[in-house]
Amino acid sequence: MRIVIAGGHGQIALRLERLLAAAGHEPAGLIRTPEQADDLRAAGAEPVLLDLESASLEMVAAVLQGADAAVFAAGAGPGSSVERKDTVDRAAAVLLADAAERAGVRRHVVVSSMGADAGHQGDEVFDAYLRAKGEADDYVRSRKTLDWTILRPGILTNDAGTGLVRLEASTGRGPIPRDDVAAVIAELLETPATAGLTLELISGSTPVSVAVKAVAGN
């Protein structure tokens, strides 16, 4: 499969690109600056220079043309402003979904956040982030031509992955290594029967492939 990943230089995306390339897929990562290209090539991915904060729908759809799946793994990141929570975490996710529809790419996986909710209350930057992610998730879920899966990891860590997770509609809070998040995304892409699901993810006791198969078709 050719899989286009928004936020291609992110910590989860680089891990995912390595896994996809090792499995024989063709990952392509959207990046904001040329300096990030070598890291993607080292991960086995094709770097595509495209800034989702300034790109048009037609530009993004052109990049998605001929792809088998799209993954939204972009984020404004820690320390970013409320404004960028909106332009990246919400608007860029909406743009990628619209572009996938335009290009006829049905399979669509979104890396969201536990607690994402368009109606979340509060005035802090993190509150704005949870609202932005929630609004983006709601928008993606409303697209009838997308086979979407929304993945909401718990507290992200850089610990080595264990390959053991808990993946359910509701898990409760907990940590999850980025290694294991990437492994779950890769498995979701291979499992089209997970379309239409919003899933929470934390560390657990079930192997990734077993956990994904257990929720497929539910």
Side-chain angles (χ1 to χ4, degrees):
M1 294 189 292
R2 176 173 170 81
I3 299 157
V4 176
I5 303 164
H9 194 258
Q11 295 187 69
I12 290 172
L14 286 168
R15 289 167 166 83
L16 175 61
E17 287 153 6
R18 291 186 196 100
L19 292 175
L20 294 175
H25 298 300
E26 299 175 10
L30 306 185
I31 55 174
R32 292 166 55 91
T33 66
E35 291 75 22
Q36 297 172 331
D38 284 347
D39 289 339
L40 269 73
R41 292 190 189 99
E46 174 196 346
V48 179
L49 190 60
L50 185 73
D51 185 350
L52 289 175
E53 288 183 273
S54 58
S56 67
L57 174 60
E58 290 72 22
M59 290 166 66
V60 184
V63 168
L64 285 166
Q65 203 67 45
D68 299 288
V71 177
F72 186 80
S80 57
S81 64
V82 168
E83 289 74 23
R84 292 202 70 230
K85 301 303 184 195
D86 184 68
T87 58
V88 178
D89 294 295
R90 183 197 62 79
V94 167
L95 176 60
L96 189 72
D98 286 344
E101 281 194 311
R102 175 76 63 93
V105 181
R106 292 194 64 95
R107 189 69 177 112
H108 200 85
V109 176
V110 175
V111 183
S112 183
S113 173
M114 198 172 286
D117 179 359
H120 180 83
Q121 300 297 307
D123 300 321
E124 301 298 321
V125 174
F126 190 68
D127 299 319
Y129 168 75
L130 292 177
R131 282 193 294 273
K133 296 296 281 187
E135 289 172 18
D137 291 354
D138 289 347
Y139 186 84
V140 170
R141 287 186 292 211
S142 75
R143 313 324 291 166
K144 304 304 182 189
T145 61
L146 295 181
D147 296 327
W148 53 264
T149 305
I150 308 289
L151 183 65
R152 293 178 164 177
I155 302 161
L156 298 171
T157 75
N158 286 327
D159 296 338
T162 65
L164 300 173
V165 300
R166 183 177 174 192
L167 180 70
E168 299 170 15
S170 179
T171 61
R173 296 196 173 275
I176 180 78
R178 289 178 171 88
D179 286 350
D180 290 333
V181 177
V184 168
I185 298 168
E187 196 71 29
L188 290 172
L189 289 166
E190 299 265 18
T191 314
T194 56
L197 299 178
T198 300
L199 300 166
E200 293 186 350
L201 173 67
I202 58 174
S203 291
S205 57
T206 305
V208 166
S209 61
V210 176
V212 171
K213 286 182 177 65
V215 297
N218 291 343

